[in-house]
Amino acid sequence: MELKAFIISYAGLKEGKHQFQFEVDNTFFENFGFEEFNSSALIVDAELDKKNTIMELSLEATGSVNVNCDLTNEPFDLDIDTSMDLVIKFGNAFNDDNEELLILPHGEYEFNIAQYVYEMLVLSIPHRRVHPGVEDGSLESDVLDKLEELRVSNPQEENNTKITDPRWDALKKLKTDNNL
């Protein structure tokens, strides 16, 4: 997939709202050198609201990416549902320093939204990716079995008794003696 597919040509559009739809898969991410997804199937809906002096772009992405769990390395589908808004103004020179404002030079007739789509999607992925089966206990995995086997047990949990440090007990006694 070439990034040319993400070019929006606005020169011939009338004022008002215009809808665009883009399909994103792993080849899109490979263009940016991002290879953390096993697979991806996303739909990006773009709504361009063209006004007299500015344009407002609203991006919404839904779908899923297949990633490996950070705990078990088991692949799973992670649902994605994210959005982003961008204001587009016209000025003397191109400027995309602000993440919510894009300034295009006068005389331009199109712009590429691929970078904005990429950033929106990558930033929507949580830092820690945990398989849903790990959280609810339904995942059967050799890695989880080994982790459970190697887990350090806490003596308090086994005996259901409260073990305290004798130094703290002495301090508590001083506290209660002063209140008399």
Side-chain angles (χ1 to χ4, degrees), residues 17-36:
K17 295 183 180 187
H18 304 276
Q19 305 291 327
F20 302 92
Q21 191 173 68
F22 306 96
E23 293 183 15
V24 175
D25 59 12
N26 268 14
T27 56
F28 172 80
F29 294 105
E30 289 169 3
N31 285 316
F32 292 96
F34 188 81
E35 299 176 356
E36 290 190 27

PDB file of all heavy atoms in Angstrom, residues 17-36:
ATOM      1  N   LYS A  17     -19.118  19.409   4.546  1.00  0.00           N
ATOM      2  CA  LYS A  17     -18.486  18.193   5.035  1.00  0.00           C
ATOM      3  C   LYS A  17     -18.343  17.173   3.909  1.00  0.00           C
ATOM      4  O   LYS A  17     -19.252  16.984   3.112  1.00  0.00           O
ATOM      5  CB  LYS A  17     -19.293  17.611   6.189  1.00  0.00           C
ATOM      6  CG  LYS A  17     -19.308  18.529   7.396  1.00  0.00           C
ATOM      7  CD  LYS A  17     -20.040  17.930   8.560  1.00  0.00           C
ATOM      8  CE  LYS A  17     -20.002  18.922   9.724  1.00  0.00           C
ATOM      9  NZ  LYS A  17     -20.551  18.371  10.935  1.00  0.00           N
ATOM     10  N   HIS A  18     -17.167  16.516   3.918  1.00  0.00           N
ATOM     11  CA  HIS A  18     -16.857  15.501   2.907  1.00  0.00           C
ATOM     12  C   HIS A  18     -16.288  14.280   3.618  1.00  0.00           C
ATOM     13  O   HIS A  18     -15.471  14.406   4.530  1.00  0.00           O
ATOM     14  CB  HIS A  18     -15.845  16.049   1.892  1.00  0.00           C
ATOM     15  CG  HIS A  18     -16.297  17.315   1.241  1.00  0.00           C
ATOM     16  ND1 HIS A  18     -17.133  17.326   0.151  1.00  0.00           N
ATOM     17  CD2 HIS A  18     -16.066  18.616   1.555  1.00  0.00           C
ATOM     18  CE1 HIS A  18     -17.371  18.582  -0.200  1.00  0.00           C
ATOM     19  NE2 HIS A  18     -16.735  19.386   0.648  1.00  0.00           N
ATOM     20  N   GLN A  19     -16.732  13.093   3.195  1.00  0.00           N
ATOM     21  CA  GLN A  19     -16.341  11.841   3.840  1.00  0.00           C
ATOM     22  C   GLN A  19     -15.295  11.100   2.997  1.00  0.00           C
ATOM     23  O   GLN A  19     -15.398  11.050   1.772  1.00  0.00           O
ATOM     24  CB  GLN A  19     -17.563  10.928   4.005  1.00  0.00           C
ATOM     25  CG  GLN A  19     -18.728  11.547   4.734  1.00  0.00           C
ATOM     26  CD  GLN A  19     -18.449  11.776   6.197  1.00  0.00           C
ATOM     27  OE1 GLN A  19     -17.723  11.020   6.818  1.00  0.00           O
ATOM     28  NE2 GLN A  19     -19.023  12.831   6.750  1.00  0.00           N
ATOM     29  N   PHE A  20     -14.313  10.523   3.686  1.00  0.00           N
ATOM     30  CA  PHE A  20     -13.289   9.694   3.062  1.00  0.00           C
ATOM     31  C   PHE A  20     -13.111   8.460   3.941  1.00  0.00           C
ATOM     32  O   PHE A  20     -13.286   8.522   5.151  1.00  0.00           O
ATOM     33  CB  PHE A  20     -11.945  10.435   2.956  1.00  0.00           C
ATOM     34  CG  PHE A  20     -12.025  11.717   2.188  1.00  0.00           C
ATOM     35  CD1 PHE A  20     -12.271  12.915   2.847  1.00  0.00           C
ATOM     36  CD2 PHE A  20     -11.853  11.734   0.817  1.00  0.00           C
ATOM     37  CE1 PHE A  20     -12.345  14.111   2.153  1.00  0.00           C
ATOM     38  CE2 PHE A  20     -11.923  12.921   0.108  1.00  0.00           C
ATOM     39  CZ  PHE A  20     -12.168  14.113   0.770  1.00  0.00           C
ATOM     40  N   GLN A  21     -12.743   7.341   3.308  1.00  0.00           N
ATOM     41  CA  GLN A  21     -12.494   6.126   4.071  1.00  0.00           C
ATOM     42  C   GLN A  21     -11.215   5.460   3.568  1.00  0.00           C
ATOM     43  O   GLN A  21     -10.977   5.380   2.360  1.00  0.00           O
ATOM     44  CB  GLN A  21     -13.666   5.149   3.959  1.00  0.00           C
ATOM     45  CG  GLN A  21     -13.584   4.005   4.937  1.00  0.00           C
ATOM     46  CD  GLN A  21     -14.826   3.151   4.923  1.00  0.00           C
ATOM     47  OE1 GLN A  21     -15.092   2.469   3.939  1.00  0.00           O
ATOM     48  NE2 GLN A  21     -15.586   3.190   6.012  1.00  0.00           N
ATOM     49  N   PHE A  22     -10.414   4.993   4.519  1.00  0.00           N
ATOM     50  CA  PHE A  22      -9.135   4.378   4.196  1.00  0.00           C
ATOM     51  C   PHE A  22      -9.019   3.047   4.927  1.00  0.00           C
ATOM     52  O   PHE A  22      -9.437   2.933   6.081  1.00  0.00           O
ATOM     53  CB  PHE A  22      -7.972   5.290   4.630  1.00  0.00           C
ATOM     54  CG  PHE A  22      -8.059   6.678   4.068  1.00  0.00           C
ATOM     55  CD1 PHE A  22      -8.624   7.704   4.813  1.00  0.00           C
ATOM     56  CD2 PHE A  22      -7.588   6.965   2.799  1.00  0.00           C
ATOM     57  CE1 PHE A  22      -8.704   8.989   4.302  1.00  0.00           C
ATOM     58  CE2 PHE A  22      -7.675   8.235   2.285  1.00  0.00           C
ATOM     59  CZ  PHE A  22      -8.233   9.255   3.034  1.00  0.00           C
ATOM     60  N   GLU A  23      -8.447   2.055   4.263  1.00  0.00           N
ATOM     61  CA  GLU A  23      -8.179   0.764   4.886  1.00  0.00           C
ATOM     62  C   GLU A  23      -6.707   0.701   5.242  1.00  0.00           C
ATOM     63  O   GLU A  23      -5.854   1.074   4.440  1.00  0.00           O
ATOM     64  CB  GLU A  23      -8.555  -0.383   3.956  1.00  0.00           C
ATOM     65  CG  GLU A  23     -10.037  -0.492   3.702  1.00  0.00           C
ATOM     66  CD  GLU A  23     -10.400  -1.686   2.831  1.00  0.00           C
ATOM     67  OE1 GLU A  23      -9.550  -2.587   2.654  1.00  0.00           O
ATOM     68  OE2 GLU A  23     -11.526  -1.708   2.343  1.00  0.00           O
ATOM     69  N   VAL A  24      -6.426   0.231   6.443  1.00  0.00           N
ATOM     70  CA  VAL A  24      -5.050   0.163   6.927  1.00  0.00           C
ATOM     71  C   VAL A  24      -4.729  -1.283   7.279  1.00  0.00           C
ATOM     72  O   VAL A  24      -5.485  -1.925   8.011  1.00  0.00           O
ATOM     73  CB  VAL A  24      -4.865   1.069   8.170  1.00  0.00           C
ATOM     74  CG1 VAL A  24      -3.475   0.915   8.753  1.00  0.00           C
ATOM     75  CG2 VAL A  24      -5.139   2.523   7.816  1.00  0.00           C
ATOM     76  N   ASP A  25      -3.609  -1.771   6.754  1.00  0.00           N
ATOM     77  CA  ASP A  25      -3.117  -3.094   7.118  1.00  0.00           C
ATOM     78  C   ASP A  25      -1.621  -2.992   7.415  1.00  0.00           C
ATOM     79  O   ASP A  25      -1.085  -1.892   7.529  1.00  0.00           O
ATOM     80  CB  ASP A  25      -3.425  -4.124   6.026  1.00  0.00           C
ATOM     81  CG  ASP A  25      -2.818  -3.755   4.672  1.00  0.00           C
ATOM     82  OD1 ASP A  25      -1.976  -2.843   4.609  1.00  0.00           O
ATOM     83  OD2 ASP A  25      -3.174  -4.400   3.673  1.00  0.00           O
ATOM     84  N   ASN A  26      -0.941  -4.111   7.537  1.00  0.00           N
ATOM     85  CA  ASN A  26       0.463  -4.087   7.940  1.00  0.00           C
ATOM     86  C   ASN A  26       1.374  -3.389   6.936  1.00  0.00           C
ATOM     87  O   ASN A  26       2.402  -2.832   7.319  1.00  0.00           O
ATOM     88  CB  ASN A  26       0.970  -5.505   8.187  1.00  0.00           C
ATOM     89  CG  ASN A  26       0.806  -5.898   9.632  1.00  0.00           C
ATOM     90  OD1 ASN A  26       0.102  -5.241  10.392  1.00  0.00           O
ATOM     91  ND2 ASN A  26       1.463  -6.968  10.026  1.00  0.00           N
ATOM     92  N   THR A  27       1.030  -3.385   5.665  1.00  0.00           N
ATOM     93  CA  THR A  27       1.897  -2.713   4.693  1.00  0.00           C
ATOM     94  C   THR A  27       1.954  -1.210   4.955  1.00  0.00           C
ATOM     95  O   THR A  27       2.969  -0.574   4.693  1.00  0.00           O
ATOM     96  CB  THR A  27       1.440  -2.981   3.245  1.00  0.00           C
ATOM     97  OG1 THR A  27       0.076  -2.577   3.100  1.00  0.00           O
ATOM     98  CG2 THR A  27       1.575  -4.451   2.909  1.00  0.00           C
ATOM     99  N   PHE A  28       0.881  -0.657   5.483  1.00  0.00           N
ATOM    100  CA  PHE A  28       0.878   0.757   5.854  1.00  0.00           C
ATOM    101  C   PHE A  28       1.931   1.021   6.924  1.00  0.00           C
ATOM    102  O   PHE A  28       2.721   1.956   6.829  1.00  0.00           O
ATOM    103  CB  PHE A  28      -0.514   1.170   6.353  1.00  0.00           C
ATOM    104  CG  PHE A  28      -0.578   2.555   6.940  1.00  0.00           C
ATOM    105  CD1 PHE A  28      -0.655   3.658   6.110  1.00  0.00           C
ATOM    106  CD2 PHE A  28      -0.560   2.753   8.310  1.00  0.00           C
ATOM    107  CE1 PHE A  28      -0.713   4.947   6.641  1.00  0.00           C
ATOM    108  CE2 PHE A  28      -0.624   4.022   8.852  1.00  0.00           C
ATOM    109  CZ  PHE A  28      -0.695   5.118   8.005  1.00  0.00           C
ATOM    110  N   PHE A  29       1.955   0.187   7.963  1.00  0.00           N
ATOM    111  CA  PHE A  29       2.907   0.372   9.054  1.00  0.00           C
ATOM    112  C   PHE A  29       4.340   0.092   8.608  1.00  0.00           C
ATOM    113  O   PHE A  29       5.278   0.696   9.112  1.00  0.00           O
ATOM    114  CB  PHE A  29       2.527  -0.501  10.248  1.00  0.00           C
ATOM    115  CG  PHE A  29       1.224  -0.094  10.878  1.00  0.00           C
ATOM    116  CD1 PHE A  29       0.072  -0.837  10.675  1.00  0.00           C
ATOM    117  CD2 PHE A  29       1.143   1.044  11.657  1.00  0.00           C
ATOM    118  CE1 PHE A  29      -1.122  -0.457  11.247  1.00  0.00           C
ATOM    119  CE2 PHE A  29      -0.050   1.436  12.236  1.00  0.00           C
ATOM    120  CZ  PHE A  29      -1.189   0.686  12.029  1.00  0.00           C
ATOM    121  N   GLU A  30       4.515  -0.831   7.664  1.00  0.00           N
ATOM    122  CA  GLU A  30       5.851  -1.129   7.153  1.00  0.00           C
ATOM    123  C   GLU A  30       6.459   0.079   6.449  1.00  0.00           C
ATOM    124  O   GLU A  30       7.681   0.244   6.447  1.00  0.00           O
ATOM    125  CB  GLU A  30       5.798  -2.330   6.217  1.00  0.00           C
ATOM    126  CG  GLU A  30       5.529  -3.631   6.951  1.00  0.00           C
ATOM    127  CD  GLU A  30       5.206  -4.791   6.031  1.00  0.00           C
ATOM    128  OE1 GLU A  30       5.240  -4.622   4.786  1.00  0.00           O
ATOM    129  OE2 GLU A  30       4.894  -5.880   6.565  1.00  0.00           O
ATOM    130  N   ASN A  31       5.643   0.919   5.859  1.00  0.00           N
ATOM    131  CA  ASN A  31       6.146   2.146   5.226  1.00  0.00           C
ATOM    132  C   ASN A  31       6.805   3.080   6.240  1.00  0.00           C
ATOM    133  O   ASN A  31       7.634   3.899   5.875  1.00  0.00           O
ATOM    134  CB  ASN A  31       5.018   2.898   4.508  1.00  0.00           C
ATOM    135  CG  ASN A  31       4.625   2.240   3.213  1.00  0.00           C
ATOM    136  OD1 ASN A  31       5.473   1.837   2.431  1.00  0.00           O
ATOM    137  ND2 ASN A  31       3.334   2.094   2.992  1.00  0.00           N
ATOM    138  N   PHE A  32       6.435   2.949   7.505  1.00  0.00           N
ATOM    139  CA  PHE A  32       7.010   3.769   8.567  1.00  0.00           C
ATOM    140  C   PHE A  32       8.071   3.006   9.361  1.00  0.00           C
ATOM    141  O   PHE A  32       8.603   3.518  10.336  1.00  0.00           O
ATOM    142  CB  PHE A  32       5.908   4.254   9.520  1.00  0.00           C
ATOM    143  CG  PHE A  32       4.966   5.234   8.894  1.00  0.00           C
ATOM    144  CD1 PHE A  32       3.758   4.816   8.349  1.00  0.00           C
ATOM    145  CD2 PHE A  32       5.290   6.583   8.837  1.00  0.00           C
ATOM    146  CE1 PHE A  32       2.886   5.724   7.769  1.00  0.00           C
ATOM    147  CE2 PHE A  32       4.417   7.502   8.257  1.00  0.00           C
ATOM    148  CZ  PHE A  32       3.220   7.060   7.723  1.00  0.00           C
ATOM    149  N   GLY A  33       8.354   1.771   8.968  1.00  0.00           N
ATOM    150  CA  GLY A  33       9.336   0.953   9.669  1.00  0.00           C
ATOM    151  C   GLY A  33       8.825   0.412  10.992  1.00  0.00           C
ATOM    152  O   GLY A  33       9.603   0.053  11.861  1.00  0.00           O
ATOM    153  N   PHE A  34       7.516   0.346  11.163  1.00  0.00           N
ATOM    154  CA  PHE A  34       6.890  -0.132  12.398  1.00  0.00           C
ATOM    155  C   PHE A  34       6.432  -1.562  12.166  1.00  0.00           C
ATOM    156  O   PHE A  34       5.554  -1.815  11.345  1.00  0.00           O
ATOM    157  CB  PHE A  34       5.702   0.773  12.748  1.00  0.00           C
ATOM    158  CG  PHE A  34       5.095   0.487  14.086  1.00  0.00           C
ATOM    159  CD1 PHE A  34       5.676   0.994  15.234  1.00  0.00           C
ATOM    160  CD2 PHE A  34       3.953  -0.279  14.202  1.00  0.00           C
ATOM    161  CE1 PHE A  34       5.115   0.745  16.484  1.00  0.00           C
ATOM    162  CE2 PHE A  34       3.388  -0.531  15.436  1.00  0.00           C
ATOM    163  CZ  PHE A  34       3.965  -0.012  16.578  1.00  0.00           C
ATOM    164  N   GLU A  35       7.033  -2.501  12.898  1.00  0.00           N
ATOM    165  CA  GLU A  35       6.728  -3.916  12.661  1.00  0.00           C
ATOM    166  C   GLU A  35       6.335  -4.651  13.934  1.00  0.00           C
ATOM    167  O   GLU A  35       6.653  -5.816  14.103  1.00  0.00           O
ATOM    168  CB  GLU A  35       7.932  -4.582  12.004  1.00  0.00           C
ATOM    169  CG  GLU A  35       8.275  -3.969  10.665  1.00  0.00           C
ATOM    170  CD  GLU A  35       9.520  -4.546  10.032  1.00  0.00           C
ATOM    171  OE1 GLU A  35      10.184  -5.388  10.669  1.00  0.00           O
ATOM    172  OE2 GLU A  35       9.820  -4.151   8.908  1.00  0.00           O
ATOM    173  N   GLU A  36       5.636  -3.987  14.844  1.00  0.00           N
ATOM    174  CA  GLU A  36       5.240  -4.614  16.107  1.00  0.00           C
ATOM    175  C   GLU A  36       3.923  -5.370  16.018  1.00  0.00           C
ATOM    176  O   GLU A  36       3.564  -6.075  16.957  1.00  0.00           O
ATOM    177  CB  GLU A  36       5.148  -3.560  17.213  1.00  0.00           C
ATOM    178  CG  GLU A  36       6.487  -3.026  17.619  1.00  0.00           C
ATOM    179  CD  GLU A  36       6.414  -2.171  18.870  1.00  0.00           C
ATOM    180  OE1 GLU A  36       5.501  -2.383  19.692  1.00  0.00           O
ATOM    181  OE2 GLU A  36       7.272  -1.288  19.003  1.00  0.00           O
TER     182      GLU A  36
END
